[in-house]
mmCIF file of all heavy atoms in Angstrom:
data_model
loop_
_atom_site.group_PDB
_atom_site.id
_atom_site.type_symbol
_atom_site.label_atom_id
_atom_site.label_comp_id
_atom_site.label_asym_id
_atom_site.label_seq_id
_atom_site.Cartn_x
_atom_site.Cartn_y
_atom_site.Cartn_z
ATOM 1 N N SER A 56 -6.176 19.499 -3.289
ATOM 2 C CA SER A 56 -5.003 18.826 -2.921
ATOM 3 C C SER A 56 -4.407 18.008 -4.117
ATOM 4 O O SER A 56 -3.189 17.988 -4.255
ATOM 5 C CB SER A 56 -5.257 17.826 -1.712
ATOM 6 O OG SER A 56 -4.059 17.289 -1.343
ATOM 7 N N ALA A 57 -5.254 17.407 -4.914
ATOM 8 C CA ALA A 57 -4.743 16.637 -5.981
ATOM 9 C C ALA A 57 -4.099 17.462 -7.084
ATOM 10 O O ALA A 57 -3.118 17.005 -7.665
ATOM 11 C CB ALA A 57 -5.957 15.858 -6.679
ATOM 12 N N PHE A 58 -4.597 18.633 -7.321
ATOM 13 C CA PHE A 58 -4.023 19.470 -8.396
ATOM 14 C C PHE A 58 -3.081 20.526 -7.831
ATOM 15 O O PHE A 58 -2.614 21.390 -8.635
ATOM 16 C CB PHE A 58 -5.127 20.159 -9.177
ATOM 17 C CG PHE A 58 -5.838 19.123 -10.102
ATOM 18 C CD1 PHE A 58 -6.974 18.572 -9.715
ATOM 19 C CD2 PHE A 58 -5.303 18.796 -11.305
ATOM 20 C CE1 PHE A 58 -7.620 17.696 -10.511
ATOM 21 C CE2 PHE A 58 -5.963 17.866 -12.126
ATOM 22 C CZ PHE A 58 -7.122 17.256 -11.710
ATOM 23 N N ALA A 59 -2.729 20.464 -6.605
ATOM 24 C CA ALA A 59 -1.856 21.486 -5.944
ATOM 25 C C ALA A 59 -0.449 21.337 -6.556
ATOM 26 O O ALA A 59 0.321 22.334 -6.692
ATOM 27 C CB ALA A 59 -1.798 21.361 -4.453
ATOM 28 N N HIS A 60 -0.017 20.090 -6.903
ATOM 29 C CA HIS A 60 1.291 19.911 -7.455
ATOM 30 C C HIS A 60 1.436 20.076 -8.984
ATOM 31 O O HIS A 60 2.470 20.017 -9.510
ATOM 32 C CB HIS A 60 1.835 18.486 -7.020
ATOM 33 C CG HIS A 60 1.158 17.406 -7.822
ATOM 34 N ND1 HIS A 60 -0.098 16.988 -7.560
ATOM 35 C CD2 HIS A 60 1.686 16.642 -8.863
ATOM 36 C CE1 HIS A 60 -0.363 15.996 -8.484
ATOM 37 N NE2 HIS A 60 0.607 15.780 -9.212
ATOM 38 N N VAL A 61 0.258 20.244 -9.670
ATOM 39 C CA VAL A 61 0.244 20.420 -11.076
ATOM 40 C C VAL A 61 0.165 21.947 -11.314
ATOM 41 O O VAL A 61 -0.768 22.610 -10.959
ATOM 42 C CB VAL A 61 -0.990 19.685 -11.706
ATOM 43 C CG1 VAL A 61 -0.985 19.895 -13.235
ATOM 44 C CG2 VAL A 61 -0.884 18.264 -11.388
ATOM 45 N N ASP A 62 1.075 22.439 -12.080
ATOM 46 C CA ASP A 62 1.166 23.926 -12.380
ATOM 47 C C ASP A 62 0.042 24.311 -13.260
ATOM 48 O O ASP A 62 -0.241 23.731 -14.246
ATOM 49 C CB ASP A 62 2.482 24.284 -12.978
ATOM 50 C CG ASP A 62 3.630 24.150 -12.021
ATOM 51 O OD1 ASP A 62 3.405 24.167 -10.829
ATOM 52 O OD2 ASP A 62 4.777 23.950 -12.559
ATOM 53 N N ARG A 63 -0.718 25.362 -12.836
ATOM 54 C CA ARG A 63 -1.715 26.031 -13.690
ATOM 55 C C ARG A 63 -2.816 25.053 -14.198
ATOM 56 O O ARG A 63 -3.352 25.313 -15.220
ATOM 57 C CB ARG A 63 -1.124 26.817 -14.810
ATOM 58 C CG ARG A 63 -0.207 27.945 -14.320
ATOM 59 C CD ARG A 63 0.560 28.564 -15.482
ATOM 60 N NE ARG A 63 1.626 27.641 -15.801
ATOM 61 C CZ ARG A 63 2.064 27.541 -17.007
ATOM 62 N NH1 ARG A 63 1.662 28.186 -18.039
ATOM 63 N NH2 ARG A 63 3.017 26.663 -17.262
ATOM 64 N N ALA A 64 -3.101 23.996 -13.476
ATOM 65 C CA ALA A 64 -4.155 23.147 -13.921
ATOM 66 C C ALA A 64 -5.502 23.688 -13.461
ATOM 67 O O ALA A 64 -5.609 24.004 -12.266
ATOM 68 C CB ALA A 64 -3.914 21.757 -13.390
ATOM 69 N N THR A 65 -6.449 23.721 -14.310
ATOM 70 C CA THR A 65 -7.779 24.102 -13.951
ATOM 71 C C THR A 65 -8.616 22.836 -14.094
ATOM 72 O O THR A 65 -8.649 22.146 -15.097
ATOM 73 C CB THR A 65 -8.349 25.210 -14.913
ATOM 74 O OG1 THR A 65 -7.489 26.317 -14.816
ATOM 75 C CG2 THR A 65 -9.757 25.599 -14.496
ATOM 76 N N ALA A 66 -9.370 22.531 -13.018
ATOM 77 C CA ALA A 66 -10.140 21.299 -12.971
ATOM 78 C C ALA A 66 -11.512 21.560 -12.266
ATOM 79 O O ALA A 66 -11.557 22.403 -11.360
ATOM 80 C CB ALA A 66 -9.407 20.137 -12.341
ATOM 81 N N TYR A 67 -12.523 20.829 -12.739
ATOM 82 C CA TYR A 67 -13.801 20.916 -12.193
ATOM 83 C C TYR A 67 -14.369 19.523 -11.929
ATOM 84 O O TYR A 67 -13.991 18.608 -12.610
ATOM 85 C CB TYR A 67 -14.824 21.594 -13.130
ATOM 86 C CG TYR A 67 -14.459 22.993 -13.515
ATOM 87 C CD1 TYR A 67 -13.665 23.270 -14.644
ATOM 88 C CD2 TYR A 67 -14.959 24.117 -12.830
ATOM 89 C CE1 TYR A 67 -13.353 24.529 -15.077
ATOM 90 C CE2 TYR A 67 -14.652 25.389 -13.216
ATOM 91 C CZ TYR A 67 -13.883 25.550 -14.281
ATOM 92 O OH TYR A 67 -13.554 26.895 -14.709
ATOM 93 N N VAL A 68 -15.284 19.437 -10.969
ATOM 94 C CA VAL A 68 -15.980 18.249 -10.753
ATOM 95 C C VAL A 68 -17.448 18.574 -10.889
ATOM 96 O O VAL A 68 -17.969 19.440 -10.154
ATOM 97 C CB VAL A 68 -15.838 17.579 -9.345
ATOM 98 C CG1 VAL A 68 -16.739 16.348 -9.147
ATOM 99 C CG2 VAL A 68 -14.372 17.173 -9.154
ATOM 100 N N PHE A 69 -18.117 18.107 -11.956
ATOM 101 C CA PHE A 69 -19.452 18.440 -12.279
ATOM 102 C C PHE A 69 -20.387 17.311 -11.971
ATOM 103 O O PHE A 69 -20.086 16.167 -12.124
ATOM 104 C CB PHE A 69 -19.646 18.784 -13.853
ATOM 105 C CG PHE A 69 -18.888 19.954 -14.293
ATOM 106 C CD1 PHE A 69 -18.173 19.885 -15.531
ATOM 107 C CD2 PHE A 69 -18.966 21.156 -13.619
ATOM 108 C CE1 PHE A 69 -17.497 21.048 -15.984
ATOM 109 C CE2 PHE A 69 -18.336 22.296 -14.090
ATOM 110 C CZ PHE A 69 -17.609 22.193 -15.260
ATOM 111 N N THR A 70 -21.569 17.648 -11.513
ATOM 112 C CA THR A 70 -22.647 16.625 -11.320
ATOM 113 C C THR A 70 -23.270 16.443 -12.742
ATOM 114 O O THR A 70 -23.082 17.196 -13.703
ATOM 115 C CB THR A 70 -23.734 17.171 -10.355
ATOM 116 O OG1 THR A 70 -24.415 18.304 -10.959
ATOM 117 C CG2 THR A 70 -23.214 17.540 -9.016
ATOM 118 N N PRO A 71 -24.128 15.325 -12.854
ATOM 119 C CA PRO A 71 -24.717 15.101 -14.133
ATOM 120 C C PRO A 71 -25.648 16.282 -14.633
ATOM 121 O O PRO A 71 -25.822 16.485 -15.844
ATOM 122 C CB PRO A 71 -25.590 13.912 -13.932
ATOM 123 C CG PRO A 71 -24.826 13.159 -12.815
ATOM 124 C CD PRO A 71 -24.300 14.233 -11.993
ATOM 125 N N ALA A 72 -26.154 17.045 -13.653
ATOM 126 C CA ALA A 72 -27.025 18.208 -13.947
ATOM 127 C C ALA A 72 -26.234 19.456 -14.310
ATOM 128 O O ALA A 72 -26.746 20.509 -14.717
ATOM 129 C CB ALA A 72 -27.943 18.449 -12.839
ATOM 130 N N GLY A 73 -24.824 19.365 -14.176
ATOM 131 C CA GLY A 73 -24.030 20.523 -14.476
ATOM 132 C C GLY A 73 -23.648 21.366 -13.340
ATOM 133 O O GLY A 73 -22.911 22.368 -13.495
ATOM 134 N N ARG A 74 -24.050 21.051 -12.102
ATOM 135 C CA ARG A 74 -23.638 21.752 -10.936
ATOM 136 C C ARG A 74 -22.201 21.559 -10.673
ATOM 137 O O ARG A 74 -21.710 20.478 -10.816
ATOM 138 C CB ARG A 74 -24.569 21.393 -9.740
ATOM 139 C CG ARG A 74 -24.317 22.293 -8.487
ATOM 140 C CD ARG A 74 -25.224 21.874 -7.358
ATOM 141 N NE ARG A 74 -24.949 20.556 -6.952
ATOM 142 C CZ ARG A 74 -24.007 20.231 -6.116
ATOM 143 N NH1 ARG A 74 -23.140 21.119 -5.617
ATOM 144 N NH2 ARG A 74 -23.775 18.958 -5.658
ATOM 145 N N THR A 75 -21.456 22.636 -10.268
ATOM 146 C CA THR A 75 -20.026 22.438 -9.962
ATOM 147 C C THR A 75 -19.913 21.963 -8.481
ATOM 148 O O THR A 75 -20.245 22.751 -7.552
ATOM 149 C CB THR A 75 -19.278 23.783 -10.123
ATOM 150 O OG1 THR A 75 -19.491 24.241 -11.501
ATOM 151 C CG2 THR A 75 -17.826 23.609 -9.852
ATOM 152 N N ALA A 76 -19.498 20.737 -8.352
ATOM 153 C CA ALA A 76 -19.326 20.186 -6.989
ATOM 154 C C ALA A 76 -17.998 20.610 -6.440
ATOM 155 O O ALA A 76 -17.838 20.750 -5.172
ATOM 156 C CB ALA A 76 -19.406 18.642 -7.031
ATOM 157 N N ALA A 77 -16.983 20.832 -7.236
ATOM 158 C CA ALA A 77 -15.660 21.226 -6.799
ATOM 159 C C ALA A 77 -14.938 21.872 -7.995
ATOM 160 O O ALA A 77 -15.239 21.571 -9.093
ATOM 161 C CB ALA A 77 -14.866 20.063 -6.264
ATOM 162 N N ALA A 78 -13.962 22.679 -7.706
ATOM 163 C CA ALA A 78 -13.118 23.337 -8.659
ATOM 164 C C ALA A 78 -11.789 23.735 -8.072
ATOM 165 O O ALA A 78 -11.723 23.931 -6.895
ATOM 166 C CB ALA A 78 -13.801 24.544 -9.297
ATOM 167 N N THR A 79 -10.754 23.816 -8.871
ATOM 168 C CA THR A 79 -9.459 24.217 -8.359
ATOM 169 C C THR A 79 -9.528 25.703 -8.116
ATOM 170 O O THR A 79 -10.405 26.451 -8.634
ATOM 171 C CB THR A 79 -8.333 23.884 -9.424
ATOM 172 O OG1 THR A 79 -8.683 24.558 -10.649
ATOM 173 C CG2 THR A 79 -8.039 22.491 -9.576
ATOM 174 N N GLU A 80 -8.604 26.128 -7.272
ATOM 175 C CA GLU A 80 -8.520 27.597 -6.946
ATOM 176 C C GLU A 80 -8.330 28.412 -8.204
ATOM 177 O O GLU A 80 -7.473 28.067 -9.018
ATOM 178 C CB GLU A 80 -7.483 27.805 -5.959
ATOM 179 C CG GLU A 80 -7.420 29.254 -5.326
ATOM 180 C CD GLU A 80 -6.331 29.377 -4.293
ATOM 181 O OE1 GLU A 80 -5.939 28.439 -3.683
ATOM 182 O OE2 GLU A 80 -5.938 30.497 -4.123
ATOM 183 N N GLY A 81 -9.029 29.497 -8.295
ATOM 184 C CA GLY A 81 -8.863 30.401 -9.455
ATOM 185 C C GLY A 81 -9.658 29.970 -10.729
ATOM 186 O O GLY A 81 -9.614 30.639 -11.728
ATOM 187 N N ALA A 82 -10.374 28.839 -10.680
ATOM 188 C CA ALA A 82 -11.217 28.476 -11.824
ATOM 189 C C ALA A 82 -12.453 29.350 -11.925
ATOM 190 O O ALA A 82 -13.121 29.659 -10.945
ATOM 191 C CB ALA A 82 -11.614 27.002 -11.663
ATOM 192 N N ARG A 83 -12.668 29.755 -13.134
ATOM 193 C CA ARG A 83 -13.777 30.640 -13.316
ATOM 194 C C ARG A 83 -15.118 29.882 -13.125
ATOM 195 O O ARG A 83 -15.214 28.686 -13.361
ATOM 196 C CB ARG A 83 -13.752 31.232 -14.745
ATOM 197 C CG ARG A 83 -14.169 30.322 -15.888
ATOM 198 C CD ARG A 83 -14.261 31.001 -17.217
ATOM 199 N NE ARG A 83 -14.591 30.101 -18.207
ATOM 200 C CZ ARG A 83 -15.841 29.584 -18.492
ATOM 201 N NH1 ARG A 83 -16.877 29.988 -17.796
ATOM 202 N NH2 ARG A 83 -15.992 28.760 -19.486
ATOM 203 N N PRO A 84 -16.153 30.572 -12.691
ATOM 204 C CA PRO A 84 -17.434 29.906 -12.401
ATOM 205 C C PRO A 84 -18.003 29.449 -13.759
ATOM 206 O O PRO A 84 -17.841 30.084 -14.812
ATOM 207 C CB PRO A 84 -18.360 30.955 -11.774
ATOM 208 C CG PRO A 84 -17.393 32.061 -11.328
ATOM 209 C CD PRO A 84 -16.149 31.966 -12.209
ATOM 210 N N VAL A 85 -18.645 28.223 -13.762
ATOM 211 C CA VAL A 85 -19.286 27.658 -14.888
ATOM 212 C C VAL A 85 -20.794 27.441 -14.634
ATOM 213 O O VAL A 85 -21.107 26.871 -13.640
ATOM 214 C CB VAL A 85 -18.680 26.386 -15.301
ATOM 215 C CG1 VAL A 85 -19.282 25.709 -16.533
ATOM 216 C CG2 VAL A 85 -17.109 26.536 -15.578
ATOM 217 N N LEU A 86 -21.605 28.011 -15.447
ATOM 218 C CA LEU A 86 -23.050 27.797 -15.375
ATOM 219 C C LEU A 86 -23.406 26.328 -15.572
ATOM 220 O O LEU A 86 -22.700 25.621 -16.353
ATOM 221 C CB LEU A 86 -23.787 28.673 -16.345
ATOM 222 C CG LEU A 86 -23.669 30.200 -16.117
ATOM 223 C CD1 LEU A 86 -24.353 30.953 -17.253
ATOM 224 C CD2 LEU A 86 -24.247 30.587 -14.788
ATOM 225 N N ALA A 87 -24.469 25.832 -15.032
ATOM 226 C CA ALA A 87 -24.850 24.447 -15.172
ATOM 227 C C ALA A 87 -25.096 24.134 -16.570
ATOM 228 O O ALA A 87 -24.701 23.039 -17.113
ATOM 229 C CB ALA A 87 -26.055 24.199 -14.305
#
Side-chain angles (χ1 to χ4, degrees):
S56 184
F58 287 97
H60 74 284
V61 180
D62 293 334
R63 295 173 284 150
T65 302
Y67 299 91
V68 177
F69 294 135
T70 64
R74 187 178 63 81
T75 303
T79 54
E80 187 177 337
R83 72 171 180 80
V85 177
L86 297 173

